[in-house]
Amino acid sequence: MARHALAIVGASRPRPGEVANGDAWTVESDDGGWRISVIDGLGHGPEAEAAAVIALDTLATQPSLPPDRALEICHRRLAGSRGAAISIVGIDVSAGLLTFCGVGNVEGRLILESHERRLTAQRGIVGATLPGLRPLDFPLQGDWLLLLHTDGVSARFHIDALRPMGERGLQSLADEILAGWARAYDDATIVVAQTAPEYPGPATARVS
Ligand SMILES: [Mn+2]
């Protein structure tokens, strides 16, 4: 199966005054597609960062697991740590399917041509209290834009005023959201994804 290109960018910073960043994000891929994970180690500072690093290491060793299975493995590996909120998105571009599974408060939005879907995480703490996981599937058709962010970014950011154009514009979008809506008292991370301009699909695949 061909693995279509995606543009995936992010912006992250620790709580002002901190060096350690308890937020992290990562992308893994295999022949089936892409997996994007956004992690918020509980609280902030070095212990939060240590939890995030465990999650990053765990995800890197299991690039082919779907979001819910990846969360289960993170839950086991994070036992005894500060714990984390983690949301994971799997994208199979060939099948036109996005799967979301999250625990904690890393939230997302999937902006489609005609409507917008909220990606809402389940209650719990990865590493401490894992709920029965319910992955959510969303069909992908035409233009789409995915945004995932930790609770260090206010969910009230306005996307309509911002115009992503190609990969360079996508990074600007992430940077603008971080600059405008990050909270002063927490680590903050936003990840944005869309089909890459070279995606051999409809000419309208670029969001603008
Ligand atoms: Mn946070």
Side-chain angles (χ1 to χ4, degrees):
M1 185 192 321
R3 188 181 69 203
H4 297 295
L6 294 188
I8 306 169
V9 303
S12 183
R13 62 124 175 91
R15 171 185 161 125
E18 286 277 5
V19 175
N21 191 350
D23 278 5
W25 64 284
T26 185
V27 177
E28 276 87 29
S29 63
D30 69 4
D31 289 345
W34 303 84
R35 195 183 65 196
I36 305 168
S37 305
V38 178
I39 301 152
D40 180 349
L42 256 61
H44 51 86
E47 286 186 47
E49 185 178 67
V53 167
I54 292 170
L56 287 176
D57 290 347
T58 303
L59 292 164
T61 62
Q62 301 282 350
S64 298
L65 288 183
D68 55 337
R69 297 282 322 283
L71 275 175
E72 288 168 0
I73 298 235
C74 285
H75 176 64
R76 292 204 285 276
R77 289 283 309 278
L78 283 164
S81 78
R82 178 70 75 78
I86 305 177
S87 287
I88 303 180
V89 165
I91 299 173
D92 185 333
V93 180
S94 298
L97 189 68
L98 182 151
T99 302
F100 172 87
C101 196
V103 172
N105 48 20
V106 177
E107 307 286 346
R109 296 186 207 179
L110 176 61
I111 299 173
L112 301 163
E113 286 179 341
S114 58
H115 61 292
E116 180 176 325
R117 300 294 301 269
R118 290 272 169 178
L119 309 180
T120 303
Q122 298 175 239
R123 289 171 178 265
I125 299 170
V126 183
T129 311
L130 200 71
L133 296 176
R134 299 186 304 270
L136 303 172
D137 286 339
F138 301 91
L140 294 174
Q141 282 183 327
D143 292 354
W144 57 268
L145 179 70
L146 169 72
L147 302 107
L148 293 169
H149 63 93
T150 64
D151 69 343
V153 174
S154 167
R156 295 177 184 168
F157 62 83
H158 300 293
I159 191 72
D160 292 346
L162 305 165
R163 302 177 63 79
M165 287 175 288
E167 194 159 358
R168 186 165 164 214
L170 210 58
Q171 183 65 59
S172 298
L173 173 65
D175 293 343
E176 280 183 56
I177 292 171
L178 194 73
W181 283 277
R183 294 183 159 120
Y185 51 83
D186 199 0
D187 309 323
T189 299
I190 174 101
V191 175
V192 186
Q194 65 181 156
T195 45
E198 63 269 30
Y199 170 57
T204 54
R206 180 181 296 190
V207 174
S208 61

